[in-house]
Amino acid sequence: MRNWFTCLLVCLLGVLVGLSASQGGYPFQDPALGAEERITDLIGRMTLAEKIDCLANRAAVPRLGVKGSPHIEGYHGVAQGGPSNWGRRNPTATTQFPQAYGLGSTWDPELVRRVAAQEAREARYLYQSARYDRSGIIVRAPNADLARDPRWGRTEEVYGEDPYLVGTLATAFTRGLQGDDPRYWTAAALLKHFLANSNEDLRTSSSSNFDERLWREYYAKPFEMAVREGGSRALMAAYNAVNGTPAHVHPMLRDIVMKEWGVDGIICTDGSGLRLLVTDHKAFPDLPAAAAACLKAGINHFLDQHREPVTEAVKRGLVTEAEIDQALRGLFRVSIRLGLLDPPERVPAASIGAPGDPEPWAQPETRALVREVTRRSIVLLKNSAGLLPLDRSKVRSVAVVGPLANQVLLDWYSGTPPYTVTPRDGIERAAGSPPAGASRVGMNWVGDTGDAAVELARRQDAAIVCIGSHPEGNAGWALVSSSSEGKEAVDRQAITLPPGQEEFIRRVYEANPRTVVVLISSFPVALPWAAVNASTILHVTHNSQELGNALADVLFGDADPGGRLVQTWPKSLDQLPSMMDYDIRHGRTYMYFRGEPQYAFGHGLSYTTFAWDRLRTSAASMARTGAIEVAVDVRNTGARAGDEVVQLYVRYPDSKVERPLKQLRGFARATLKPGESRTVTLRLAAADLAYWDAARHAWTIEPGRVELMVGRSSADADLTLKQMVTVNP
């Protein structure tokens, strides 16, 4: 009787517990409680197997009604399809912006924030819409690594070579993804790849070696900015080692990222990173030992087959259940910030994708945003003959030729765009539908580099040559079609164009000197013939669904090409140190490059002209805890609207330690009408002038003179306006 009664009580208790869970009765489901109290309650209800399962790609506990979110890719648009078939289902259309390298070329943090906000909305829509129910709201972006070498195969994924520029844009992207709500994120920004991950050929076993100053001042700075200023609480460890210790188990994760910067959310492995600790780095005898070391270092999310290794690690006593509990707290902090444990009516972003909410990628304002971003990413490298913008009264026919004339190429981390506009499509549309009062322009095209393309160019008033790289190397995984190509798992062996392309430019130019070279590439490209002899060169990156329309807008003068380069473009490989030399003081980036580049960091031309005047500061000196304002007057002296990017560089003539030749410390992009003047004001804090003192393990602000330089590029800053300020003792 007693046994029967006991069984009945147990059954009733089970029913009540299930009913309580369905009604949101668990303490972890109560938004009024503190996050840590909720997390403690949730973890206390989980079995060891459930805990280990949560260390995977989705922190979900189905038995308790906890819905997690998988990670998704999203450097320049939600990736649920594309060349790599992200999402592993039928492709879902999502908005595709220019590659991250192109987003960087806008030098426009607010525009980058808007891109990320659009992406976050689309991720939420796919995740929450009953029609789709896919994707995720933890986004593996932005990539805060630095493009220290133009041979790096993943250069396309990052915003440039300068830590201040990259950190500013990574901060903007993070804010765009996570949104403005003080309590809930729209999506979580998971930074990649920590740290100093900028070689591909040896990435799974190599070590990136450099001193503590470069760690703090260069390689880690963009990540720190995105965490401290942008609010990211998640990042991915890199494949490589740092000074001999694999990044996945490096003390920097716990000692600096977590304890110093305050990352209390997700720190995940890269794909197969756990396995590579054993097979490639040979740092551990087996997977259980490697898994335990990862957890102790701060990793709490495995993009690996982790269940058996972690389970075995617990059995061996290599890691305790209490340590797993501690690791899980970071995952659930992110879940709470995303509103995944709260009633939907409390979460502002939960309404996205509700019945009647239109698909965000299909809206006119979305297409307009992509077109605007793409226009603003285009860099005018050269316009010595004044051919651009094309004058419809003089240019009555154009030839569009070259291997990229009728393609929009997608990269490995792309999604599937709802449509694409190729260069041919966009130019044809613009040529055939001129503004009121303008003449139509005839357009013909040939999409290759053969004789027919050259002959077509000869017969037209102007020729537009579309050439460049292939973002997937025009080959399978870890393969490329030429030494000029690069991508994930493959570094470039040459920085010139793929075979035959520059010779094609020369042939077209000789047939028709009124030739515009449109370089569509993911990297800097050395152009030994074209940079000297061709009069007109534009650069734009791949992947934008509005590529053709934006390009046509710039070619015909409906938009000014106000983009600027985010990397030093060398003339040849002879100007570069060894690929695996991570000490940038040996001649890398504009900060230490001592040769003459083909194009300087920050370079970019306009269709109009600007005059700069009256560089001034709000004070002649500042305290070590203070800041000043740096102002310059900029006036559009031309006949058309255009964009100028004011760049502020500093130099340290009194420094007692080696400092960069110059260092970017502020920038602003301004659009000015003809004749319009504007005062551009930039804030410069003394803290921005600090260097890392390795002996003291602290940031140090030196007293003394600091030279301020403003200009249109890192090269022009030496020629424009200068002024000295003093940091007081």
Side-chain angles (χ1 to χ4, degrees):
M1 183 73 173
R2 181 175 299 173
N3 290 339
W4 176 86
F5 184 70
T6 300
C7 290
L8 178 61
L9 285 177
V10 170
C11 291
L12 287 172
L13 181 61
V15 170
L16 290 173
V17 167
L19 181 62
S20 175
S22 67
Q23 294 176 342
Y26 290 140
F28 73 79
Q29 295 169 314
D30 184 357
L33 296 179
E36 298 307 308
E37 184 180 353
R38 298 173 71 187
I39 292 169
T40 297
D41 177 72
L42 172 56
I43 292 174
R45 299 177 186 280
M46 296 168 62
T47 67
L48 177 60
E50 287 172 332
K51 294 173 182 178
I52 293 173
D53 279 348
C54 273
L55 298 173
N57 192 24
R58 183 194 295 262
V61 191
R63 180 178 62 86
L64 298 175
V66 175
K67 181 183 179 182
S69 169
H71 296 190
I72 62 169
E73 301 294 346
Y75 288 143
H76 44 71
V78 172
Q80 289 293 287
S84 59
N85 191 27
W86 296 110
R88 302 297 184 264
R89 301 186 192 175
N90 293 330
T92 299
T94 52
T95 303
Q96 297 302 302
F97 292 91
Q99 292 172 300
Y101 198 72
L103 297 180
S105 298
T106 68
W107 288 64
D108 190 334
E110 172 56 21
L111 196 61
V112 170
R113 186 202 64 79
R114 290 171 60 198
V115 168
Q118 176 67 27
E119 182 176 320
R121 179 173 180 81
E122 295 188 16
R124 273 276 179 179
Y125 193 98
L126 290 170
Y127 182 68
Q128 296 176 167
S129 168
R131 177 182 175 186
Y132 291 101
D133 187 24
R134 62 176 297 172
S135 186
I137 48 177
I138 299 173
V139 184
R140 295 175 189 155
N143 189 334
D145 284 312
L146 290 156
R148 66 178 179 95
D149 192 299
R151 289 167 289 191
W152 180 32
R154 298 179 80 169
T155 297
E156 66 195 33
E157 298 180 15
V158 303
Y159 301 127
E161 71 182 21
D162 178 76
Y164 179 81
L165 174 67
V166 173
T168 301
L169 297 179
T171 295
F173 200 93
T174 297
R175 288 175 174 168
L177 283 178
Q178 297 186 171
D180 299 326
D181 189 89
R183 179 164 184 169
Y184 295 108
W185 293 339
T186 308
L190 190 148
L191 309 173
K192 294 173 30 174
H193 309 81
F194 194 78
L195 177 80
N197 177 83
S198 55
N199 69 277
E200 294 302 298
D201 292 348
L202 303 172
R203 64 180 179 159
T204 61
S205 61
S206 63
S207 180
S208 304
N209 301 328
F210 44 88
D211 62 26
E212 188 177 345
R213 276 193 64 194
L214 287 179
W215 196 100
R216 291 282 187 168
E217 295 176 16
Y218 189 69
Y219 292 106
K221 179 54 68 174
F223 290 92
E224 182 182 8
M225 292 174 68
V227 169
R228 292 187 185 273
E229 301 171 27
S232 172
R233 292 296 180 266
L235 57 77
M236 175 186 289
Y239 284 131
N240 55 278
V242 176
N243 294 327
T245 301
H248 282 62
V249 294
H250 202 290
M252 64 186 178
L253 297 179
R254 192 170 291 280
D255 294 345
I256 299 176
V257 172
M258 297 174 69
K259 293 181 180 178
E260 186 178 324
W261 296 352
V263 173
D264 61 355
I266 297 170
I267 300 181
C268 71
T269 69
D270 202 340
S272 300
L274 171 62
R275 175 180 58 81
L276 293 169
L277 289 172
V278 177
T279 59
D280 289 37
H281 283 291
K282 304 188 186 307
F284 300 94
D286 55 29
L287 291 175
C294 285
L295 288 164
K296 291 178 182 295
I299 295 289
N300 60 3
H301 221 49
F302 292 92
L303 306 185
D304 250 306
Q305 298 297 321
H306 78 288
R307 289 177 180 84
E308 290 186 10
V310 174
T311 302
E312 180 63 23
V314 174
K315 289 180 180 178
R316 291 188 196 173
L318 301 175
V319 68
T320 66
E321 185 171 357
E323 288 174 310
I324 293 176
D325 290 351
Q326 189 61 35
L328 290 174
R329 301 189 76 86
L331 306 184
F332 291 128
R333 289 186 191 111
V334 172
S335 294
I336 288 173
R337 290 182 176 114
L338 290 169
L340 295 178
L341 302 186
D342 291 4
E345 60 270 16
R346 295 181 62 98
V347 183
S351 62
I352 298 173
D357 188 17
E359 294 176 330
W361 51 85
Q363 304 312 303
E365 58 269 25
T366 303
R367 294 193 291 271
L369 175 61
V370 183
R371 189 165 179 170
E372 177 188 2
V373 173
T374 310
R375 283 196 305 245
R376 292 172 74 85
S377 74
I378 296 176
V379 182
L380 180 59
L381 297 174
K382 189 176 181 183
N383 195 25
S384 58
L387 177 57
L388 291 181
L390 297 175
D391 186 340
R392 293 174 182 273
S393 67
K394 298 177 181 177
V395 177
R396 305 305 301 275
S397 63
V398 295
V400 180
V401 297
L404 302 184
N406 197 38
Q407 299 186 75
V408 174
L409 297 177
L410 306 177
D411 63 38
W412 181 252
Y413 287 96
S414 172
T416 299
Y419 64 91
T420 58
V421 182
T422 70
R424 169 216 167 182
D425 294 334
I427 295 168
E428 185 173 39
R429 188 173 304 161
S433 303
S439 302
R440 292 171 59 92
V441 176
M443 196 282 289
N444 292 283
W445 72 283
V446 174
D448 59 34
T449 59
D451 292 342
V454 175
E455 287 306 310
L456 176 65
R458 189 189 308 276
R459 298 193 302 268
Q460 311 305 310
D461 290 341
I464 300 166
V465 177
C466 299
I467 44 83
S469 65
H470 192 295
E472 285 199 281
N474 206 24
W477 176 255
L479 299 172
V480 292
S481 58
S482 80
S483 60
S484 301
E485 303 284 12
K487 61 180 182 181
E488 182 170 2
V490 185
D491 288 317
R492 304 166 75 197
Q493 302 304 311
I495 60 172
T496 50
L497 286 168
Q501 289 195 16
E502 189 152 21
E503 172 62 15
F504 176 64
I505 296 173
R506 185 189 64 78
R507 293 176 63 208
V508 173
Y509 192 78
E510 290 176 350
N512 187 343
R514 295 178 64 81
T515 290
V516 178
V517 178
V518 177
L519 174 61
I520 309 173
S521 75
S522 310
F523 322 93
V525 176
L527 301 165
W529 186 90
V532 175
N533 296 286
S535 67
T536 314
I537 307 174
L538 286 168
H539 176 255
V540 63
T541 60
H542 293 288
N543 211 86
S544 170
Q545 64 194 43
E546 284 282 340
L547 172 62
N549 283 335
L551 177 61
D553 289 342
V554 168
L555 290 171
F556 286 101
D558 298 320
D560 189 58
R564 300 292 186 267
L565 294 183
V566 297
Q567 194 172 8
T568 302
W569 285 35
K571 294 179 179 180
S572 72
L573 286 178
D574 295 339
Q575 294 181 303
L576 296 174
S578 167
M579 180 66 179
M580 290 306 297
D581 184 353
Y582 273 76
D583 187 340
I584 64 168
R585 300 184 194 94
H586 295 161
R588 292 197 192 281
T589 80
Y590 76 94
M591 291 187 287
Y592 295 100
F593 189 83
R594 290 175 172 81
E596 182 183 354
Q598 179 176 265
Y599 299 112
F601 172 83
H603 172 71
L605 305 175
S606 170
Y607 289 157
T608 188
T609 55
F610 298 92
W612 296 40
D613 191 25
R614 297 183 62 231
L615 174 64
R616 57 205 183 272
T617 58
S618 58
S621 63
M622 58 179 156
R624 296 192 195 190
T625 57
I628 60 173
E629 290 187 340
V630 182
V632 63
D633 296 338
V634 181
R635 181 166 59 93
N636 184 342
T637 56
R640 62 171 60 240
D643 285 12
E644 184 70 297
V645 179
V646 176
Q647 302 169 39
L648 170 65
Y649 296 86
V650 300
R651 184 180 285 137
Y652 309 92
D654 296 337
S655 180
K656 294 179 173 58
V657 298
E658 183 180 10
R659 305 296 293 271
L661 302 173
K662 64 190 67 166
Q663 193 171 22
L664 183 71
R665 278 295 173 261
F667 63 90
R669 181 166 177 163
T671 302
L672 301 178
K673 299 175 182 177
E676 181 182 1
S677 295
R678 185 176 306 172
T679 298
V680 175
T681 303
L682 303 170
R683 184 179 185 273
L684 179 66
D688 296 331
L689 307 175
Y691 75 92
W692 182 259
D693 187 333
R696 296 175 54 242
H697 298 288
W699 291 102
T700 297
I701 303 170
E702 288 184 296
R705 296 176 302 158
V706 177
E707 185 178 22
L708 310 182
M709 303 167 285
V710 293
R712 298 177 177 89
S713 75
S714 59
D716 184 69
D718 289 324
L719 306 173
T720 309
L721 301 175
K722 303 179 183 180
Q723 182 169 326
M724 287 288 186
V725 296
T726 301
V727 178
N728 297 326

